[in-house]
């Protein structure tokens, strides 16, 4: 990233931070109470009771490092309003509490801002270009810092994804910079902050074993078995072990039996465009269903009325089969750190499409890293436009109140228009980014949006078929996500052989 980025990067970061402040009084989901309760639990109770406290239905169910993070936040929260730190104060939301929790998300986003800057350092810059829209680092900075999904999920709906994605992107950047131990350390911290990032753990594990522990390749790109380094494997093992010991150490003797690592209380609450969500939203008679059976905040089990129910075992097998070719590919032909990044994207999408209890926001695990590839490759830019447009639109049902309708529409239009304009300018010399049928599909989202957001609420179907907008959104967006998934696979498996690089 060039030296003159010292002017525009801080401006982008400060600008988006100020924009987030305008959302302080906006709609907030049950996740707001989830995190307020976790603040109270970690501040008011001894460590031994953190994972047993169940006064609220929103029990602490993130890995231990996130619990320590909440404890740190609580030390500041008490200066705003100590009453928010009382476990029995369920659904407490004083103005000072709202202000603190909103500001805590904005302030901790500094991790994401730093990670975005490091990612911008990893992209190649054209020589002699003065137009910022022709500079990949500027476009990437906007795609990351002003990402529509993060804005609505964190700063309206309410969560700390920016803080967590900062660790992921920083880890990716370190691998792109060939600083593999630092990348592994950051990812180990991330896994101990939130278990959803297990989605991409296979990509990390296989890549580090293949391209770091085996220091050299043969001339044909295959693994040179004699180059295996036990010391490098021990270094990686020491990193993972030390981080897990730091995270879990205090709980090993005190906390037993709590399945916080695998069962999250923040279950799907909208319309994630996964294969199984399409099935989940298809029912025979809505009157026979319990109210809000699939749109509540808690993990719930239910049976389908028409289609067969999908079991966790089936989703596990499908997920493993969906990511196996990607993982095998970077073992056989790693293609360097960019091959790892493509495998990471495929693991994220495979788990998103076939996983069990997948939240809508999980699509961001693929969208954000794909931004890095989009500014350097015309083919990846086309895939990015399809995935980001459909993935971001699938987040619309998270903000279902009328007051937020114009906000989400304007924010998505701004981000989408910039994405199309900037990426088309970046790759203008290489031809069109999208095929005509792809353009038609994306334009169809406009019709879906009008039907679901404007026409349906005014129709008599709203009472009898309340799930219909979710079903339509899921089906339509699932087509785009599946298509992007297949194109990413093609880009990984059909790439021309590159000269193997030595680490």
């Amino acid at each position: 990233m060039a030296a003159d980025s010292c002017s525009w990067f801080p401006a982008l970061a400060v600008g988006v931070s100020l924009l987030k402040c305008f959302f302080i009084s906006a709609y907030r989901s049950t996740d707001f109470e989830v995190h307020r309760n976790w603040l109270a639990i970690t501040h008011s109770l001894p460590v031994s009771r953190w994972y047993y406290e169940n006064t609220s239905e929103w029990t602490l169910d993130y890995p231990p490092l996130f619990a320590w993070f909440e404890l740190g936040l609580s030390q500041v929260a008490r200066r705003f309003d100590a009453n928010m730190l009382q476990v029995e104060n369920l659904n407490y939301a004083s103005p000072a509490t709202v202000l603190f929790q909103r500001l805590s998300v904005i302030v901790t986003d500094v991790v994401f801002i730093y990670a975005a800057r490091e990612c911008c350092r990893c992209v190649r810059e054209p020589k002699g270009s003065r137009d910022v829209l022709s500079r990949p680092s500027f476009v990437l900075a906007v795609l990351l810092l002003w990402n529509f999904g993060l804005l609505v999920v964190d700063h309206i709906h309410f969560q700390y994804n920016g803080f967590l994605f900062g660790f992921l992107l920083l880890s990716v950047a370190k691998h792109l910079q060939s600083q593999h131990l630092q990348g592994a350390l950051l990812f180990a911290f991330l896994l101990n902050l939130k278990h959803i990032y297990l989605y991409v753990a296979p990509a990390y594990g296989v890549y580090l074993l293949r391209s770091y522990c085996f220091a050299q390749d043969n001339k044909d790109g295959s693994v040179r078995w004699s180059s295996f380094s036990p010391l490098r494997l021990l270094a990686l093992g020491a990193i993972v072990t030390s981080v897990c010991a730091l995270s879990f150490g205090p709980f090993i003797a005190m906390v037993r039996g709590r399945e916080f690592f695998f069962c999250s209380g923040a279950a799907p609450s909208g319309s994630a465009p996964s294969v199984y969500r399409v099935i989940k939203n298809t029912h025979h008679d809505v009157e026979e269903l319990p109210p809000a059976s699939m749109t509540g905040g808690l993990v719930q089990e239910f049976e389908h009325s028409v289609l067969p129910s999908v079991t966790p075992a089936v989703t596990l097998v499908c997920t493993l089969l969906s990511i196996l070719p990607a993982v095998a590919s970077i073992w056989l032909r790693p293609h360097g750190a960019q091959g790892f990044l493509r495998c990471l994207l495929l693991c994220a999408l495979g788990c998103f499409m076939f996983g069990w209890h997948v939240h809508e926001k999980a699509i961001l695990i693929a969208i954000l890293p794909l931004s890095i590839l989009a500014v350097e490759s015309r083919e990846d830019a086309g895939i990015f436009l399809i995935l980001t447009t459909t993935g971001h639109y699938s987040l619309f049902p998270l903000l279902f109140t009328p007051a937020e309708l114009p906000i989400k529409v304007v924010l998505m239009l701004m981000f989408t228009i910039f994405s199309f304009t900037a990426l088309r300018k970046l790759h203008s010399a290489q031809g069109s980014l999208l095929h005509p049928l792809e353009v038609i599909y994306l334009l169809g989202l406009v019709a879906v949006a009008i039907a679901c957001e404007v026409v349906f609420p005014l129709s008599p179907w709203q009472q009898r078929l309340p799930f219909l907008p979710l079903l339509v959104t899921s089906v339509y967006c699932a087509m785009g996500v599946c298509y992007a998934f297949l194109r990413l696979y093609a880009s990984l498996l059909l790439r021309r052989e590159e000269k193997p690089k030595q680490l």
Side-chain angles (χ1 to χ4, degrees):
M1 194 160 59
D4 63 348
S5 65
C6 293
S7 60
W8 54 256
F9 190 90
L12 288 175
V14 171
V16 75
S17 298
L18 292 175
L19 176 65
K20 295 169 185 176
C21 293
F22 286 105
F23 303 143
I24 287 177
S25 60
Y27 158 81
R28 54 187 184 271
S29 70
T30 53
D31 284 314
F32 182 88
E33 170 60 15
V34 170
H35 289 280
R36 186 217 59 82
N37 185 55
W38 293 359
L39 286 172
I41 288 174
T42 55
H43 184 83
S44 305
L45 300 177
V47 174
S48 59
R49 291 182 55 193
W50 285 0
Y51 287 98
Y52 286 102
E53 167 57 41
N54 60 0
T55 300
S56 168
E57 59 184 337
W58 312 115
T59 54
L60 180 58
D61 54 15
Y62 275 22
L65 275 190
F66 199 91
W68 297 120
F69 169 70
E70 292 278 7
L71 177 61
L73 290 179
S74 73
Q75 305 307 310
V76 183
R78 65 180 180 176
R79 301 183 182 277
F80 281 75
D81 185 350
N83 290 327
M84 79 172 83
L85 301 177
Q86 297 179 18
V87 176
E88 63 274 11
N89 277 356
L90 302 182
N91 299 309
Y92 187 79
S94 67
T97 300
V98 174
L99 178 63
F100 166 75
Q101 291 201 235
R102 291 293 197 188
L103 288 178
S104 69
V105 180
I106 296 172
V107 171
T108 55
D109 272 357
V110 67
V111 178
F112 184 81
I113 292 171
Y114 175 67
R117 186 173 180 84
E118 287 300 302
C119 288
C120 291
R121 295 180 185 275
C122 298
V123 298
R124 293 167 294 183
E125 292 280 22
K127 296 181 179 179
S129 176
R130 296 184 178 182
D131 184 359
V132 290
L133 286 180
S134 298
R135 304 188 58 174
S137 59
F138 175 81
V139 175
L140 177 59
V142 177
L143 294 181
L144 293 176
L145 296 177
W146 289 75
N147 179 269
F148 166 79
L150 277 181
L151 286 176
V152 298
V153 172
D154 277 13
H155 302 282
I156 301 180
H157 191 263
F158 191 86
Q159 281 202 350
Y160 291 92
N161 293 293
F163 167 72
L164 297 167
F165 276 118
F167 281 89
L168 178 65
L169 291 180
L170 194 54
S171 174
V172 169
K174 293 303 179 183
H175 285 303
L176 292 173
Q177 296 165 5
S178 297
Q179 300 176 24
H180 300 293
L181 288 180
Q182 292 184 38
L185 177 64
L186 289 163
F187 185 68
F189 272 107
L190 180 61
L191 279 184
N192 282 273
L193 283 166
K194 191 168 184 179
H195 46 283
I196 195 174
Y197 295 97
L198 279 170
Y199 287 0
V200 298
Y204 272 87
V206 173
Y207 173 69
L208 287 171
L209 178 63
R210 173 64 175 82
S211 296
Y212 181 73
C213 294
F214 289 92
Q216 294 180 331
D217 293 339
N218 292 318
K219 292 182 178 180
D220 61 356
S222 61
V223 62
R224 181 178 295 180
W225 295 97
S226 61
S227 68
F228 176 73
S229 171
L231 290 179
R232 291 190 174 192
L233 181 61
L234 287 174
L236 289 175
I239 286 174
V240 174
T241 302
S242 59
V243 172
C244 289
L246 175 67
S247 175
F248 285 89
F251 298 92
I252 292 176
M254 295 181 291
V255 180
R256 297 182 180 89
R258 182 75 185 212
E259 296 178 358
F260 61 86
F261 202 76
F262 297 102
C263 184
S264 172
S269 57
S271 61
S274 65
V275 172
Y276 302 119
R277 179 51 65 86
V278 174
I279 297 175
K280 291 174 184 177
N281 284 323
T282 306
H283 299 282
H284 179 60
D285 189 347
V286 72
E287 294 177 357
E288 297 175 0
L289 295 174
S293 60
M294 275 153 282
T295 56
L298 288 171
V299 171
Q300 303 174 61
E301 302 295 332
F302 50 85
E303 297 295 327
H304 299 138
S305 301
V306 178
L307 298 175
S309 294
V310 182
T311 65
V314 171
T315 66
L316 176 62
V317 171
C318 291
T319 301
L320 292 176
L321 290 176
S322 71
I323 68 175
L324 184 60
V327 173
S329 174
I330 64 167
W331 173 264
L332 296 174
R333 297 291 186 274
H335 292 298
Q338 287 215 354
F340 153 72
L341 184 51
R342 292 178 190 279
C343 181
L344 181 150
L345 295 171
L346 288 165
C347 287
L349 283 176
C351 292
F352 177 75
M353 293 165 59
F354 297 101
W356 179 254
H357 285 296
V358 179
H359 196 288
E360 298 87 337
K361 66 177 179 288
I363 191 64
L364 296 177
I365 303 178
I367 288 176
L368 290 168
L370 182 55
S371 307
I372 302 172
L373 296 177
V375 300
E376 295 201 287
S377 163
R378 182 188 67 84
E379 180 183 4
D380 292 323
I383 299 172
F384 173 82
L385 292 176
I386 296 170
L387 183 64
T388 194
T389 307
T390 55
H392 282 163
Y393 179 74
S394 73
L395 300 174
F396 264 39
L398 289 176
L399 306 180
F400 52 85
T401 56
E404 275 64 46
L405 177 59
I407 295 177
K408 65 184 182 182
V409 170
V410 170
L411 286 177
M412 182 166 176
L413 281 177
M414 288 173 53
F415 183 83
T416 305
I417 291 172
F418 174 84
S419 299
F420 275 80
T421 303
L423 291 176
R424 185 167 58 243
K425 186 175 181 64
L426 270 185
H427 305 293
S428 58
Q430 302 172 350
S432 176
L433 301 181
L434 297 173
H435 302 298
L437 288 179
E438 295 170 343
V439 174
I440 293 172
Y441 167 78
L442 292 179
L443 289 175
L445 281 172
V446 178
V448 171
I450 294 174
C452 293
E453 302 286 347
V454 180
V455 177
F456 184 81
L458 302 176
S459 72
W461 294 342
Q462 185 179 25
Q463 296 301 320
R464 177 159 179 77
L465 303 172
F467 62 86
L468 194 56
L470 293 179
L471 175 61
V472 172
T473 301
S474 293
V475 171
Y476 201 86
C477 291
M479 291 190 293
V481 173
C482 290
Y483 179 75
F485 179 70
L486 294 175
R487 280 196 60 181
L488 275 170
Y489 247 122
S491 72
L492 176 68
L493 301 179
L494 302 180
R495 293 179 72 199
R496 290 178 297 178
E497 291 297 323
E498 299 175 355
K499 184 178 179 180
K501 299 179 180 179
Q502 308 299 328
L503 292 176

